[in-house]
């Protein structure tokens, strides 16, 4: 199986089965950094640490992801992207095995940081789809691959919550490593050779990040807005398992199952990508961020319902806010990838570095607020952060021309 790279005309499209392969690969790759969120309580018990300390596992994984995006994803602009993807997947497989073998909490923190760094192979896979897609189909292609990535983020919690509750946290990472081994074999035979379109050195690539930041106001607006939206996303998912346990006596399997509700929003990614191609990402962003804000406001009213309706209301809110967050991310990607095609790896690096800085802040702040203020404190953070993002987007009215 081979891709017809660099030969597609504007009338051609990338075959769906090839996009599906990239989508699945992105999903399983990014899943590696989310397995720990539904099992924070299990890790707290296993290593005899406070819940707020166990939350550092999720925070360091996200910091690792931000570091990997900033320092490793730009390599895609200077090396063969296929070799980069496979090399990082091999290392990710090893990091997951080491994570499962952690005997002390500090070792778990270090291995979690490494998992986050190497899970950025998912970003390389998304960028591979932009390289081999025609310009007028790029938003749709990104949307399809992002469906896999976003589904991986959400369904990883289902997998982790169920496996963790019935078989233990170590098995989660061992099974994850086995899945990555299968991905390595698949991409070895299926990915095309994607040579670099640049002759820059790594030092020059990294030095060019600052000029890119200064050159494009659309980039600055997009990454800062996505950062604030990500704070809300991470604060919610990091504390959900604790909220369900303390208020309803539900285990990690139920917390993980909420990923199924969120996955409904991930299905919308191709639609959002296509709409971004046609009507513009800016209009979609104003609506999608508003949906996120309203969804978290709605969660404040959960205590007003009977106990039997509270979970149903929460599920509805999760579907809506995940739809809004997914639409926000795909739209921001459509904007950023259109700015300078030959620098997509670096532009993607800047976007997702800020995004996962936001997620790390959300994990740390969410855990702190839950322990010291309670669930409503988490919700206030989840409302205020995307509200700032909305104000940033409202100041941006410049239309984006797709390249």
């Amino acid at each position: 199986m081979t891709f017809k790279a660099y030969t597609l005309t504007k009338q051609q499209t990338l075959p769906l089965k090839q996009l599906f392969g990239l989508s699945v690969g992105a999903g399983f790759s990014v899943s590696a950094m989310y397995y720990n969120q539904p099992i924070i309580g299990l890790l707290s018990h296993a290593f005899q640490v406070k819940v707020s300390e166990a939350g550092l596992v999720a925070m360091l994984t996200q910091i690792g992801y931000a570091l990997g995006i900033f320092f490793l994803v730009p390599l895609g602009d200077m090396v063969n992207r296929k070799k980069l993807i496979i090399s990082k997947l091999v290392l990710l497989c090893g990091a997951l095995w080491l994570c499962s073998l952690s005997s002390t909490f500090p070792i778990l923190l270090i291995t979690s940081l490494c998992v986050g760094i190497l899970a950025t192979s998912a970003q390389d896979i998304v960028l591979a789809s932009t390289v081999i897609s025609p310009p007028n189909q790029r938003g749709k292609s990104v949307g399809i691959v992002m469906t896999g990535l976003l589904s991986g983020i959400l369904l990883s919690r289902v997998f982790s919550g169920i496996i963790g509750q019935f078989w233990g946290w170590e098995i989660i990472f061992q099974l994850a490593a086995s899945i990555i081994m299968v991905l390595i074999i698949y991409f070895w035979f299926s990915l095309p050779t994607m040579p670099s379109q640049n002759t820059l050195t790594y030092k020059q690539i990294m030095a060019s990040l600052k000029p890119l930041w200064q050159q494009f106001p659309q980039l600055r607006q997009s990454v800062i807005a996505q950062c604030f939206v990500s704070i809300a996303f991470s604060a919610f998912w990091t504390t959900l398992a604790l909220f369900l346990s303390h208020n309803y006596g539900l285990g990690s399997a139920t917390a993980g199952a909420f990923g199924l509700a969120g996955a409904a929003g991930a299905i919308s990614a191709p639609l959002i990508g296509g709409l971004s191609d046609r009507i513009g990402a800016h209009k979609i962003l104003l609506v999608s961020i508003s949906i996120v804000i309203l969804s978290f406001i709605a969660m404040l009213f959960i205590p007003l319902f009977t106990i039997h309706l509270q979970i149903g209301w929460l599920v509805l809110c999760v579907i809506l806010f995940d739809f809004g967050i997914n639409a926000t991310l795909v739209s921001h990607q459509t904007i950023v990838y259109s700015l300078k095609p030959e620098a997509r790896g670096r532009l993607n690096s800047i976007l997702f570095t800020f995004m996962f800085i936001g997620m790390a802040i959300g994990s740390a702040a969410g855990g702190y607020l839950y322990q010291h203020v309670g669930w409503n404190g988490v919700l206030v953070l989840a409302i205020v952060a995307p509200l700032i993002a909305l104000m940033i987007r409202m100041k941006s009215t410049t239309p984006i021309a797709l390249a």
Side-chain angles (χ1 to χ4, degrees):
M1 183 190 303
T2 58
F3 290 115
K4 296 180 180 179
Y6 309 112
T7 60
L8 292 171
T9 68
K10 288 189 176 182
Q11 287 71 40
Q12 292 176 300
T13 58
L14 198 62
L16 283 177
K17 69 176 182 179
Q18 297 172 344
L19 281 173
F20 178 76
L22 291 170
S23 180
V24 171
F28 279 120
S29 297
V30 80
S31 294
M33 63 172 296
Y34 290 99
Y35 294 130
N36 52 41
Q37 288 189 356
I39 58 170
I40 294 298
L42 295 177
L43 295 176
S44 173
H45 177 74
F47 291 94
Q48 296 298 298
V49 296
K50 297 178 181 178
V51 169
S52 58
E53 293 174 342
L56 294 175
V57 175
M59 185 189 75
L60 280 174
T61 308
Q62 289 156 351
I63 288 175
Y65 201 82
L67 290 172
I69 287 172
F70 188 79
F71 290 106
L72 297 183
V73 171
L75 287 172
D77 287 340
M78 60 173 289
V79 301
N80 186 305
R81 207 175 289 276
K82 175 179 179 176
K83 292 181 180 179
L84 180 63
I85 291 171
I86 292 176
S87 297
K88 288 170 72 173
L89 286 175
V90 169
L91 294 173
L92 174 60
C93 180
L96 286 167
W97 274 107
L98 290 175
C99 196
S100 73
L101 299 174
S102 298
S103 56
T104 65
F105 191 64
I107 292 176
L108 179 65
L109 292 178
I110 294 170
T111 53
S112 295
L113 179 69
C114 293
V115 166
I117 291 172
L118 296 165
T120 54
S121 53
Q123 296 302 316
D124 300 305
I125 295 169
V126 173
L127 286 168
S129 72
T130 71
V131 172
I132 56 182
S133 298
N136 67 325
Q137 295 290 326
R138 190 166 294 126
K140 181 178 179 180
S141 296
V142 169
I144 291 173
V145 178
M146 284 301 297
T147 296
L149 187 146
L150 296 170
S151 297
I153 291 174
L154 297 164
L155 295 178
S156 62
R157 297 184 175 94
V158 182
F159 171 84
S160 175
I162 294 173
I163 298 298
Q165 181 169 332
F166 295 104
W167 289 282
W169 67 270
E170 300 95 336
I171 301 298
I172 296 169
F173 298 105
Q174 291 169 7
L175 289 174
S178 301
I179 293 170
I180 296 299
M181 289 178 66
V182 175
L183 273 184
I184 292 167
I185 297 171
Y186 171 75
F187 282 134
W188 179 271
F189 290 103
S190 69
L191 279 180
T193 298
M194 291 176 278
S196 169
Q197 295 173 291
N198 291 293
T199 58
L200 301 176
T201 65
Y202 182 73
K203 184 177 180 180
Q204 291 171 325
I205 287 282
M206 298 305 295
S208 70
L209 294 176
K210 183 177 180 181
L212 287 172
W213 174 265
Q214 295 171 333
Q215 181 181 358
F216 298 110
Q218 302 99 319
L219 174 65
R220 297 192 296 272
Q221 292 158 351
S222 295
V223 300
I224 294 173
Q226 191 63 46
C227 176
F228 278 103
V229 171
S230 299
I231 289 173
F233 177 87
S234 188
F236 174 83
W237 284 110
T238 300
T239 57
L240 176 63
L242 301 173
F243 171 73
L244 293 174
S245 175
H246 294 162
N247 290 274
Y248 305 102
L250 301 174
S252 64
T254 304
F258 267 78
L260 292 173
I267 298 172
S268 67
L271 172 63
I272 298 302
L275 285 174
S276 295
D277 289 334
R278 293 195 297 274
I279 68 174
H282 179 67
K283 294 179 181 177
I284 294 173
L285 283 164
L286 296 180
V287 175
S288 61
I289 298 175
S290 297
I291 290 173
V292 173
I293 296 168
L294 292 173
S295 299
F296 283 117
I297 290 175
M299 289 186 196
L300 290 171
F301 295 95
I302 288 177
L304 301 180
F305 295 92
T306 64
I307 192 71
H308 301 292
L309 293 177
Q310 288 179 8
I311 294 296
W313 184 255
L314 182 59
V315 168
L316 177 62
C317 291
V318 169
I319 292 173
L320 290 174
F321 98 74
D322 260 352
F323 171 84
I325 284 179
N326 294 341
T328 300
L329 177 56
V330 172
S331 298
H332 276 144
Q333 285 177 291
T334 302
I335 291 174
V336 170
Y337 294 164
S338 70
L339 297 176
K340 194 172 184 179
E342 68 273 18
R344 284 200 186 104
R346 285 164 282 168
L347 292 168
N348 188 75
S349 175
I350 295 171
L351 171 63
F352 278 88
T353 296
F354 273 78
M355 175 178 166
F356 280 92
I357 287 174
M359 284 200 172
I361 293 171
S363 290
Y368 178 85
L369 287 171
Y370 187 86
Q371 184 168 345
H372 296 282
V373 181
W375 177 247
N376 282 346
V378 176
L379 293 182
V380 169
L381 173 65
I383 292 167
V384 172
L387 184 60
I388 295 172
L390 182 62
M391 290 188 288
I392 293 170
R393 290 297 346 163
M394 290 177 70
K395 292 181 179 179
S396 173
T397 57
T398 304
I400 306 299
L402 294 181

